[in-house]
Amino acid sequence: MSLISKLKVEFSAVQQGTNDFGGPDFEPLLRKVLDFADGTGLAQADILFMDERSVASATNDDIDLAGALSNAFGATFTAAEIVGIIIDSDVANTTTLTIGVAGTNPWVTMWAATGDGIKVFPGGVFLNFSRDASGLGAVAGGASDVLRVANGSGASATYRIAVLARSA
């Protein structure tokens, strides 16, 4: 089984009015494309986990990145390094998700400090990818392998997650 993956991000806007770039319209474009070949080194990834998940009101979805998940083909997903993460909060959610480090055996390498996190509001998206040889950071099964998705109080929340990783 092999994995070829690509991340495409594009932000565009049209802002009208006099500006330093001339003309009445300012049309900025920020575009980034990251290609990943199959493998376990620089600019490579060889395993993928994607799922749509729900988390009850005021509870956590603790995602074990090393050995507790199955990929789309039923094989065990065991990450040694995380290369990219996308969290897509459903637009129908009424609560805010907090992605980060807390609980038992947290995966902390992507965060600046233990206890850090980021809020993903209803209809919002969080993503972080790295083509670096170390990716976003190592995963150590049983020691630092849990990504927490915490839901606020008031209602259950649905989200989609993609984790691109290296097996070694």
Side-chain angles (χ1 to χ4, degrees):
M1 187 178 328
S2 67
L3 175 65
I4 306 298
S5 54
K6 177 181 294 211
L7 171 72
K8 293 181 184 182
V9 176
E10 181 175 296
F11 174 78
S12 63
V14 175
Q15 190 174 18
Q16 296 181 329
T18 304
N19 64 76
D20 291 344
F21 297 98
D25 293 340
F26 174 52
E27 298 182 37
L29 174 64
L30 187 147
R31 180 182 292 148
K32 185 71 174 182
V33 176
L34 299 178
D35 289 303
F36 295 90
D38 187 50
T40 59
L42 176 73
Q44 296 179 329
D46 66 334
I47 57 175
L48 173 68
F49 172 75
M50 289 186 73
D51 197 12
E52 180 172 279
R53 300 168 73 91
S54 292
V55 58
S57 173
T59 61
N60 305 314
D61 187 10
D62 287 342
I63 301 169
D64 188 331
L65 300 169
L69 303 172
S70 296
N71 70 15
F73 302 101
T76 301
F77 176 88
T78 303
E81 291 174 342
I82 302 300
V83 173
I85 295 177
I86 299 173
I87 305 282
D88 175 25
S89 178
D90 197 87
V91 71
N93 289 345
T94 59
T95 55
T96 299
L97 300 173
T98 302
I99 316 305
V101 268
T104 306
N105 301 327
W107 177 65
V108 298
T109 55
M110 178 176 74
W111 308 100
T114 300
D116 283 354
I118 189 161
K119 291 181 179 183
V120 181
F121 296 94
V125 65
F126 166 76
L127 65 95
N128 193 4
F129 279 71
S130 175
R131 291 171 34 102
D132 185 78
S134 299
L136 297 174
V139 175
S144 61
D145 62 355
V146 175
L147 177 67
R148 175 164 282 181
V149 177
N151 186 23
S153 179
S156 64
T158 300
Y159 70 96
R160 284 151 299 284
I161 183 170
V163 180
L164 186 64
R166 299 177 182 132
S167 61

